[in-house]
Amino acid sequence: MKIVLVVDDSQVDRRLVGGLLQRTGEYQIIYATNGKQALESMELDVPDVVLTDLHMPEMNGLELVENVKSSYPLV
C-alpha cells in the first residue's frame, strides 16, 4: 500500500484530500499541518508521495518541496 503525506494548514482541506484518496483503498494517508511537521513525520516514516499546500505558516509548500527533494530524492 502506498503512503501519501497530505500537508495543509487547513484541517478541512487536509481531510477532504485524504478522504478522496482513501476511497480508492490503495493509499495509507498520513497528515501534517505544516512543512516543519511534515519533515518531522518523514523522519519516522518516509511516504511515497507528498501532497502539499503552497501557503502555510513556519514553512511554505515550496520550502517543503526543496527540503524533501534534497533529503528524500526518491519521494
Side-chain angles (χ1 to χ4, degrees):
M1 183 174 285
K2 299 285 184 185
I3 299 172
V4 178
L5 173 58
V6 177
V7 188
D8 198 319
D9 57 326
S10 166
Q11 180 179 3
V12 172
D13 292 343
R14 270 194 322 269
R15 296 297 173 179
L16 176 65
V17 170
L20 289 171
L21 291 170
Q22 280 183 325
R23 285 184 188 177
T24 67
E26 298 176 30
Y27 307 105
Q28 175 186 346
I29 311 301
I30 53 178
Y31 299 97
T33 59
N34 59 51
K36 184 178 176 184
Q37 187 183 55
L39 291 174
E40 290 170 359
S41 173
M42 291 179 73
E43 289 178 9
L44 302 174
D45 195 11
V46 179
D48 297 291
V49 175
V50 176
L51 295 176
T52 184
D53 184 18
L54 181 58
H55 300 286
M56 297 180 293
E58 295 189 45
M59 179 185 295
N60 68 40
L62 291 178
E63 293 169 327
L64 173 60
V65 168
E66 289 173 6
N67 277 280
V68 170
K69 186 176 178 180
S70 65
S71 299
Y72 304 94
L74 297 178
V75 174

